[in-house]
Amino acid sequence: MNLKHIAFFMILLFIIGIPTVYAQISMGEKAEQKSVQVVINSSNEIHVKHVITSSTTPKQVNLIDGERTNLKVLDKLGNEMQFGDSGGSIIVFPSQNQTIIEYDLGNVLFLKNNMLTWDFKYLQTTSFILPEEADLIFTNNRPVKLDEKLGITCHGCQMLLEYSINMPKILKNVQVDNKKFVIEIGTFAEINKFNFDQNTKRINFQVSGDKQIVTLVIPQELLSGPYNVFLGDKKIAFSEYINNGTHVWLNMRPDNSGDISITSTTDIGMQKPTTQDDSSNVNQNNNTGFQNTSVYVIIGIIIAIGFAAAIIIMKKKKSASSTELNDNKLEN
């Protein structure tokens, strides 16, 4: 037995000799995690659960960053197990059964632009169970629809998680050709001057608030897609993340307050101008000018050929007349 083995067993005996160890050490290979689950309740309290597969050697488990409390290491029967704590990770000892690590996590959720936000990073597949009251969920600025699912799963997880609780809903009634339609708007921003222009097939309203999420549920019979969304005269990004066949959910996050308009791209003549460059129009204009020039050149060539032919014919007639005159003189 060499010195390395002796040192290893001495450290191991030291750790085992302490009932609940909080020694600031780091040892062992990374543990194989069967699952990682993050549960957020209605009070935005977070509970984390790691399930570690059985192992014959000590394993290291990295924990999720945050303010950790109520840390427990249990076997599958719920009995507490000994472990080593190295701050951001713990050492679990060899076990023939799965090891369960649980703790509460705080100081990671922040309210930003009326959305609860978590800049999450943990390079393991992680499942999130979100509050039932969460009515709008975003991952990396993309809206997520849970439907009947309990939560979301993030693989090799690095994401910006955002969700809202009890976002206000505004209902706007629109009547067109004796038919009544309802447009639902979900937002924490203030909405004013809402109207639907039947002639231009355009939804218009004024939004007050910077970087506020706005979600509209639009009847497709009233305004069908594809869509364009403008803030003033500038086209802005949006997401069409649900379409149930009768209604479509449009989501946008304007950088600042202003006038929003939503149009259908099927009504080409009704579109607002956009500040973005349109190289296709430039190419089309260039092609049109080229075609016009070609037409003029062809017409000029035809006129020139006709003029040359007329001169040749006149010369032939003149030559024929001269020949006939000479023949008459010879006869006389």
Side-chain angles (χ1 to χ4, degrees):
M1 182 178 294
N2 57 32
L3 291 176
K4 290 184 178 179
H5 289 151
I6 294 172
F8 174 82
F9 282 111
M10 288 180 66
I11 295 172
L12 185 58
L13 288 171
F14 175 76
I15 294 173
I16 294 174
I18 302 175
T20 303
V21 180
Y22 293 95
Q24 300 299 312
I25 62 172
S26 177
M27 58 177 289
E29 298 177 350
K30 285 188 177 181
E32 181 181 346
Q33 302 196 53
K34 183 178 180 181
S35 64
V36 182
Q37 186 182 72
V38 175
V39 179
I40 306 175
N41 66 17
S42 301
S43 301
N44 300 315
E45 296 170 336
I46 301 171
H47 185 74
V48 181
K49 181 179 179 180
H50 303 254
V51 178
I52 312 302
T53 60
S54 60
S55 173
T56 58
T57 59
K59 297 291 183 180
Q60 179 174 327
V61 182
N62 292 328
L63 305 180
I64 296 174
D65 289 339
E67 187 179 295
R68 290 180 293 274
T69 56
N70 302 321
L71 176 64
K72 295 179 180 180
V73 179
L74 312 170
D75 62 18
K76 66 177 184 179
L77 298 177
N79 300 314
E80 291 192 2
M81 299 175 61
Q82 295 176 339
F83 63 93
D85 188 349
S86 62
S89 63
I90 66 171
I91 304 298
V92 295
F93 296 114
S95 174
Q96 295 180 350
N97 300 313
Q98 293 178 349
T99 301
I100 299 170
I101 304 169
E102 296 189 69
Y103 51 93
D104 297 323
L105 200 61
N107 202 30
V108 292
L109 274 175
F110 300 94
L111 190 64
K112 183 178 180 181
N113 297 323
N114 292 305
M115 299 287 287
L116 287 158
T117 304
W118 187 359
D119 193 357
F120 183 87
K121 182 178 181 180
Y122 188 70
L123 301 182
Q124 294 283 339
T125 298
T126 307
S127 299
F128 291 82
I129 307 299
L130 299 170
E132 293 182 0
E133 297 83 357
D135 46 20
L136 190 61
I137 302 165
F138 282 78
T139 60
N140 294 330
N141 295 313
R142 294 180 177 274
V144 176
K145 181 66 174 177
L146 292 182
D147 294 324
E148 301 300 323
K149 300 175 184 177
L150 297 176
I152 59 177
T153 299
C154 180
H155 301 279
C157 194
Q158 183 172 358
M159 72 171 178
L160 181 67
L161 174 66
E162 300 171 280
Y163 66 93
S164 67
I165 300 291
N166 298 324
M167 177 176 281
K169 301 292 192 299
I170 305 168
L171 300 180
K172 296 295 184 180
N173 297 311
V174 176
Q175 184 165 338
V176 176
D177 298 332
N178 297 322
K179 289 186 177 181
K180 292 183 178 180
F181 301 92
V182 176
I183 296 177
E184 179 183 294
I185 306 175
T187 184
F188 286 99
E190 183 179 345
I191 302 297
N192 296 302
K193 298 181 180 179
F194 179 92
N195 79 291
F196 175 74
D197 192 323
Q198 184 176 356
N199 295 326
T200 60
K201 299 291 184 183
R202 181 182 295 134
I203 296 172
N204 301 291
F205 59 90
Q206 188 179 78
V207 60
S208 298
D210 296 347
K211 296 187 182 300
Q212 294 296 311
I213 291 174
V214 181
T215 300
L216 291 93
V217 184
I218 303 172
Q220 288 188 292
E221 186 179 352
L222 178 68
L223 186 66
S224 61
Y227 301 96
N228 277 333
V229 179
F230 297 87
L231 176 61
D233 289 334
K234 182 180 179 181
K235 189 183 292 186
I236 63 173
F238 69 97
S239 297
E240 180 181 335
Y241 69 105
I242 304 177
N243 187 331
N244 65 4
T246 61
H247 292 73
V248 63
W249 276 249
L250 295 186
N251 183 278
M252 64 209 70
R253 194 186 318 219
D255 288 336
N256 49 268
S257 303
D259 295 322
I260 298 290
S261 62
I262 302 171
T263 63
S264 172
T265 59
T266 55
D267 299 319
I268 302 299
M270 302 299 181
Q271 298 303 304
K272 274 194 170 186
T274 173
T275 58
Q276 297 176 350
D277 293 334
D278 190 349
S279 58
S280 61
N281 290 340
V282 175
N283 293 335
Q284 185 176 359
N285 292 335
N286 290 339
N287 291 337
T288 302
F290 177 76
Q291 292 173 356
N292 291 338
T293 303
S294 301
V295 170
Y296 295 145
V297 170
I298 293 172
I299 293 173
I301 292 172
I302 293 173
I303 293 173
I305 293 173
F307 185 72
I311 294 174
I312 293 171
I313 293 171
M314 290 177 63
K315 285 185 177 181
K316 286 184 176 180
K317 286 184 178 181
K318 185 175 180 180
S319 175
S321 299
S322 300
T323 304
E324 184 178 355
L325 181 60
N326 291 332
D327 290 341
N328 291 336
K329 287 181 178 180
L330 290 174
E331 290 177 359
N332 294 333

